Amino acid sequence: LDSVGRGRPRGAGVVLGVIEMGKGVPPARRWSPLGSLLAVAVGFVLAALVWVNVVGLVRERASQAQVDLYRHQTARLYSIETGPQSRSRWTARRSLVESENWDEERGRCGDEAETCSLTFRLPPQPVWDSSRFVNRTAGILDITSPQTGEVDAGFVCVLADVVLREDHWITSAEPLIDTHPDPIKPGASFDLVHHMDFFFCEVGTSTTRRYSLDDPYVCSHDAFVQNSLPLNVKGRVRKFLEMTIPELHPSCIFGAVYDRGGAALSLPQDLGILVGPSTARAREIVLQAHYLAPLGFSEAYSPVWDSSGYKITLRRVRPRDSAAGQGKHAVGLLALNDYGLNYPKGRSRHTHSYLIEEAALRDSLKGDFADFGGEVQPVAVHLHGHSLTKRIWIDHLRVGAKVGEFGRIQSYDAHSEDQSFFFLPPQDASRPLRSGDSLRVNCEVDTSSAGRDVFYGVSHFTEMCSAVVAYKNHNPANPSNYVRTANILSTCTDISRCFSAGKGKEEQGGARGG
């Protein structure tokens, strides 16, 4: 490495040195032709290894240069006072928006009341197979179920059409899900949104050309979130693969979440999710929807246009509130997931568990642990599985021993209010998660009705075992949080499910995709 830029890489000297070792040696000790070839081969191997490291170093430096350029450009394009120069520079589709007491010019709640609301809806989405054209419009469903072979799912991402020029607390987030008449069950209705998530993003997400939120692959794979390896990839393999993952800017983190059947998230008076100019990663907002059509949709249902959305209630951050003792605690969110689920078929009771180790938590929450004495306080959780999941809970481990739980649903019912955030009981809401602790997520499933093994996915007859933990003792202005893994800590129990080649669109998905 120390010879970079001095005429030839260090590896070239190794090769020449090996070749020259045979010169000047007495005839009796001179190497045989086979030995010389072997020495040359070893030299070339060593040179290749050095060259890989040199290339990695150069790529790392190039990536850092891109990051520095991004920061310089966005510093000129954005400021707390002016925001983006023009929406005409936005590089992705944006939501429809309705507002109450919102001052668009000032980018903040109006003066008529202490709070305001913004409703973001998707522009009408054509929910049918992407290979089918209706009035010259292709549908958005492009993911094939690995179990049924039917195209039944798709993803859509849009920019929330808002410019935040002052800090605000999000105090509630209410899903607004369209329903449609069910042709199979007269008088009944059905919905198409399986989940809808907010992502909070760095400044520049609306104008970046590094990726396109309009691209279905980018949207479904959360390619606008900092990419990371599964936590159970370790050792030298991890260090080598991490060299190939560039730092992503602008990027987003996981935010408010809705899953089918879930209720609105309403935070108590002393809690709020901070968004706005003072935050490191919540200057802009992206809305992502995962559509999942009913079974037999292409044969029995007519094409549908859907315009579901989210309504958020905001409160301006005012210095006088803190002075009067009415300030709020900022809430952080941490998503836990296992992309490598592999449930065996024919089991009436199968328990799956995965560990989020202390090193991963310490790395993701580095800033918060530093700012709040080495501990954060979970206050609420959202537990998520599909129809085969019957029980979910999170174990809290300290020095390897269980000291309590952060949420449990003993009789879990998918597609119901069990998909909602719920606040922890006092004994759990007062026990901190400390630097050095770990978490273990557990899901009990019934696969007795499954005709084949069940894997992670976003289509019918697939499963998930995930959780979102809301916690206080969070500093959203600290850039040391969520650096290498965003705020999504994921593992992959069956590593072949995450790294095998040749995956089709039935394997698509990001933070909560497949």
Side-chain angles (χ1 to χ4, degrees), residues 136 274 351 402 421:
R136 294 183 291 183
L274 188 66
T351 301
K402 181 174 177 177
F421 274 95

Side-chain angles (χ1 to χ4, degrees), residues 3 76 92 116 192 195 208 212 217 233 246 256 265 282 316 382 408 481 497:
S3 64
R76 296 177 56 193
C116 61
L192 290 156
H195 81 241
T208 187
S212 173
Y217 182 93
V233 176
L265 169 62
R316 286 177 66 190
H382 169 88
R408 172 186 283 262
N481 291 315
R497 300 294 303 171

